[in-house]
Amino acid sequence: MSLDPFLTPTALVCYALFALLGVAEIAAIRLKSKMEPASWDNLRARIRSWWVMIFAFGTIFWLGRGVITLFFAFCSFAALREFATVTHTRRADHSALVLAFWLILPLQYLAVYMDWALMALLMIPLYAFIALPVITVLKGEVSGFLNRVSETQWGLMICVYFVSHIPALLSLKIPDYSFSAITLITWLILVVQASDVLQYVWGKALGKTLLAPKVSPSKTVEGLVGGVLSATLIGVILTPITPFTPLMAGLTAFAVCVMGVFGGLILSAIKRDRGVKDWGHLIRGHGGFLDRLDSLVFSAPIYLHLLLGSF
């Protein structure tokens, strides 16, 4: 099925999001007199960042598979850098970090792009898990050895291995599916990010019961339930751009949203353990790359495996 590049499902979703952001801009202007200056400035910063992010995503997705893979490789690099800044690394760990950043990460994304499925599957959880402690132990620094090696391994799993499952979706060939595999990524990102936003909205409107106050003081049970169910409904509404039946779309959306919640909580727990509020400051109003990827890192592998199991 050949579509005008400006009328693909991904393009139409971007247009709809731009329209919603326009409404958000108008609402923000009207709310200015009713909000604290700091809160209003943060709201405007978040909205402006969303303009940039949606335009960037639309452009990258329009440019095709190679650029998409490079983009997520860059996201992994930036996220791994943010993760490494809060770990207990020492001079003896520099060789392992160089290996992680400049060999393992590029090879993982090369395997994804070249569709070397077995290598992409085993690169980090097998070969990197063996190589990192070997290189580190040869430096002879045993103090904190387990923690130091484990932190680098965790960083690779979260920031590289899990994230690489997003461009890996482009290798899928689903029988009788009319649209590009890029649409599968669009659906995943839209549903998971909608869940994040709607959890915040429902939490502000109805939230009373804190979900995990020591991990994420702003998350509530009511916000979680309302956000996940609302995002699941969005996933069902978008069934026509997926290979799913409405029931499958609903179950898949629910699964990725729940995993997104766990991803956010786990990365929040790591931040609390390290005493930092945000992973970085590159995205104004949103923190760092990991602050935006936290929900996707756990949902993307589940999503890919559900697709592989269903088709």
Side-chain angles (χ1 to χ4, degrees):
M1 183 177 182
S2 178
L3 292 174
D4 186 296
F6 297 102
L7 294 176
T8 62
T10 298
L12 295 175
V13 167
C14 287
Y15 301 151
L17 291 175
F18 280 134
L20 285 174
L21 284 175
V23 173
E25 287 277 11
I26 295 170
I29 293 170
R30 291 182 174 239
L31 287 171
K32 183 175 182 179
S33 61
K34 301 178 182 178
M35 296 178 67
E36 293 290 331
S39 298
W40 189 79
D41 288 342
N42 181 262
L43 175 62
R44 286 303 302 276
R46 284 176 173 268
I47 293 173
R48 287 172 180 172
S49 294
W50 274 114
W51 280 108
V52 174
M53 286 189 288
I54 293 171
F55 178 79
F57 269 115
T59 303
I60 290 162
F61 283 12
W62 179 65
L63 290 172
R65 181 182 178 189
V67 175
I68 294 171
T69 305
L70 280 174
F71 170 73
F72 282 105
F74 169 76
C75 289
S76 283
F77 187 95
L80 185 60
R81 181 179 177 275
E82 291 172 352
F83 194 95
T85 60
V86 301
T87 58
H88 298 109
T89 55
R90 302 185 180 188
R91 184 178 295 275
D93 302 316
H94 288 182
S95 296
L97 290 173
V98 168
L99 180 73
F101 277 97
W102 300 109
L103 182 62
I104 296 171
L105 189 156
L107 284 177
Q108 177 68 21
Y109 278 92
L110 178 63
V112 167
Y113 180 72
M114 298 301 293
D115 198 17
W116 298 336
L118 187 60
M119 182 59 71
L121 183 66
L122 297 178
M123 170 67 68
I124 291 174
L126 177 59
Y127 298 114
F129 263 57
I130 294 173
L132 289 173
V134 167
I135 289 176
T136 304
V137 79
L138 290 176
K139 296 294 182 177
E141 176 60 72
V142 297
S143 178
F145 177 83
L146 180 59
N147 286 339
R148 288 159 35 224
V149 171
S150 299
E151 286 172 347
T152 305
Q153 290 172 329
W154 258 83
L156 279 171
M157 286 296 291
I158 291 173
C159 303
V160 182
Y161 185 67
F162 288 174
V163 176
S164 72
H165 281 70
I166 302 175
L169 290 163
L170 298 174
S171 299
L172 291 180
K173 295 180 176 54
I174 299 175
D176 302 322
Y177 182 52
S178 302
F179 302 118
S180 163
I182 294 173
T183 306
L184 297 174
I185 299 179
T186 302
W187 185 90
L188 170 67
I189 294 175
L190 181 61
V191 169
V192 173
Q193 292 299 312
S195 176
D196 277 358
V197 173
L198 290 168
Q199 284 176 55
Y200 175 81
V201 172
W202 281 103
K204 288 294 184 183
L206 301 174
K208 294 180 179 178
T209 310
L210 294 178
L211 177 65
K214 291 185 178 180
V215 177
S216 185
S218 62
K219 285 190 180 293
T220 64
V221 174
E222 294 82 3
L224 183 151
V225 173
V228 169
L229 292 181
S230 299
T232 298
L233 179 60
I234 291 173
V236 174
I237 293 171
L238 292 174
T239 297
I241 69 170
T242 73
F244 302 125
T245 64
L247 177 60
M248 287 176 63
L251 292 174
T252 303
F254 181 79
V256 298
C257 288
V258 170
M259 293 309 300
V261 172
F262 290 145
L265 287 173
I266 290 168
L267 288 178
S268 290
I270 296 173
K271 286 191 292 184
R272 295 287 180 270
D273 178 54
R274 291 296 183 265
V276 297
K277 181 179 182 295
D278 295 314
W279 285 103
H281 307 284
L282 286 176
I283 307 174
R284 191 180 175 194
H286 292 266
F289 277 82
L290 266 178
D291 292 295
R292 283 293 89 218
L293 289 170
D294 58 359
S295 299
L296 285 168
V297 293
F298 279 76
S299 59
I302 298 301
Y303 180 56
L304 176 59
H305 293 169
L306 286 173
L307 282 166
L308 289 172
S310 300
F311 302 99

